[in-house]
Amino acid sequence: MPDSDRLPSPPARRFSLRTAAFVVLMLALTGVFAALGAWQWQRLAEKQALIAAVEERIHQPAIALPAAREWPALAPAYLDYRPLTASGRYVPEGTVLVFTSIAGGRGRYSGPGYWVMTPLALAEGGTLFVNRGFVPEAAAAAFAGGGPLPEGEVTVTGIGRMPEPASAFTPGADIEKRIEWVRDPERLARFAAPAPAPFAPVYLDLPAGDAGALPQGGETVVEFPNNHLGYAMTWFGFALLTPIMLGFWLLRRGRPAPDR
C-alpha cells in the first residue's frame, strides 16, 4: 500500500488518551460524590444526636453551676442547653452589648439589636455572664450601663450555653462603646471589670419575663435545621448516576459507525 494511503496513527493514540482521561475523571467524580454523601450521612447522625441531647437536657431540673475551682477541667459542652442556677450580685458597669438580629422572636421585639450581657459576681467566687435578653437598637442606650437591675444578691435560673465561636470575618470588639459581636465569655471578660476573675466557660440565657418587658428573655434557639438526609441522598444519587452515564457513553463509543 502506498504511504499516501495509510491512516495516521497519532490521532488514534490521542483519542485513546482522551477517552482514558475522561473515564478517570468520571470515576474520580463518583468517588467525590460518594464521599460527600457519606459526610452528609455522618452529619445527619451528629445532628440527630444533638437534637436528642438538647431535647433531653432542656427539660431537666436546674442544677447548680459548678464552682469556679472546677471550671478549668469543665467541658462547656456538658453544660450546653442544660438548665442552671447561680447566686451572686450583678455588676452593671461590666455590661456588654452583643450585636445580633433576630427574626420571628418569641416576644414583641425582633430585628437588629443587642443581647444584654451582664456579669454576675458569684457568691462562691468567679463570674458568670448572664444574657438578660434582647433589646432593639432604639432601646440599646438605656442598657449600655446595665439598665434596671436588682441590688444585692440574687439567684438566677436559665439555660447554659457554650461560647459562641468567632470566625475570620468577626469584627474586633468596640472597647469604647462596649459592643461585641459574639457571646464568648473569654472575649467578654475584657469588659467585665470590676467583676472578679475567673470567668465561667459558659454563659446563661435568662427565660422570658413579663410581656413587652426589656430585655426580652426566652430567646434561646432550640430548633435546628436538619436537611442532611436530603443532601446525602442527592450526593449518593450523583455517585450512582455518574458511572451509569459513563457506561452508556463507553457503549456508544464502542459501537461501529453506520455505513453511509
Side-chain angles (χ1 to χ4, degrees):
M1 178 183 295
D3 292 342
S4 59
D5 294 335
R6 292 178 182 173
L7 294 176
S9 57
R13 288 198 297 269
R14 287 198 297 271
F15 175 78
S16 297
L17 289 174
R18 290 172 182 172
T19 300
F22 182 72
V23 171
V24 170
L25 173 64
M26 294 296 281
L27 292 178
L29 286 176
T30 300
V32 170
F33 294 150
L36 289 171
W39 174 62
Q40 287 295 335
W41 192 264
Q42 179 183 354
R43 294 287 293 121
L44 171 65
E46 293 172 352
K47 185 61 70 68
Q48 289 175 332
L50 171 64
I51 293 172
V54 170
E55 185 65 24
E56 177 186 2
R57 289 181 184 181
I58 205 164
H59 296 296
Q60 292 179 346
I63 63 172
L65 177 73
R69 62 179 177 275
E70 301 177 37
W71 295 347
L74 183 65
Y78 172 73
L79 297 178
D80 200 26
Y81 289 103
R82 194 179 296 275
L84 299 174
T85 185
S87 296
R89 58 175 182 82
Y90 279 117
V91 184
E93 57 268 39
T95 297
V96 188
L97 300 180
V98 178
F99 182 80
T100 189
S101 184
I102 62 175
R106 296 179 177 85
R108 173 182 174 183
Y109 301 97
S110 60
Y114 299 89
W115 301 118
V116 181
M117 307 291 295
T118 301
L120 182 74
L122 302 173
E124 297 183 354
T127 296
L128 168 70
F129 269 98
V130 176
N131 179 11
R132 295 160 54 203
F134 171 82
V135 295
E137 282 188 306
F143 294 90
L149 278 168
E151 297 182 0
E153 185 166 314
V154 296
T155 297
V156 295
T157 301
I159 303 298
R161 290 305 320 276
M162 288 177 57
E164 196 171 41
S167 71
F169 302 101
T170 301
D174 188 329
I175 302 296
E176 182 179 350
K177 295 182 179 179
R178 303 185 63 81
I179 292 176
E180 252 291 4
W181 305 93
V182 289
R183 290 168 289 180
D184 181 350
E186 185 175 346
R187 289 176 58 130
L188 296 174
R190 294 178 292 174
F191 299 87
F199 293 87
V202 296
Y203 64 92
L204 192 72
D205 275 354
L206 289 189
D210 297 334
L214 290 175
Q216 180 175 285
E219 294 294 340
T220 305
V221 176
V222 293
E223 298 175 356
F224 307 96
N226 187 7
N227 302 314
H228 298 293
L229 179 60
Y231 296 152
M233 292 299 99
T234 299
W235 289 122
F236 284 140
F238 286 154
L240 179 63
L241 183 62
T242 303
I244 292 176
M245 294 175 62
L246 176 62
F248 277 114
W249 184 82
L250 290 174
L251 184 63
R252 292 192 57 173
R253 298 293 295 183
R255 291 177 181 173
D259 296 334
R260 295 180 181 268

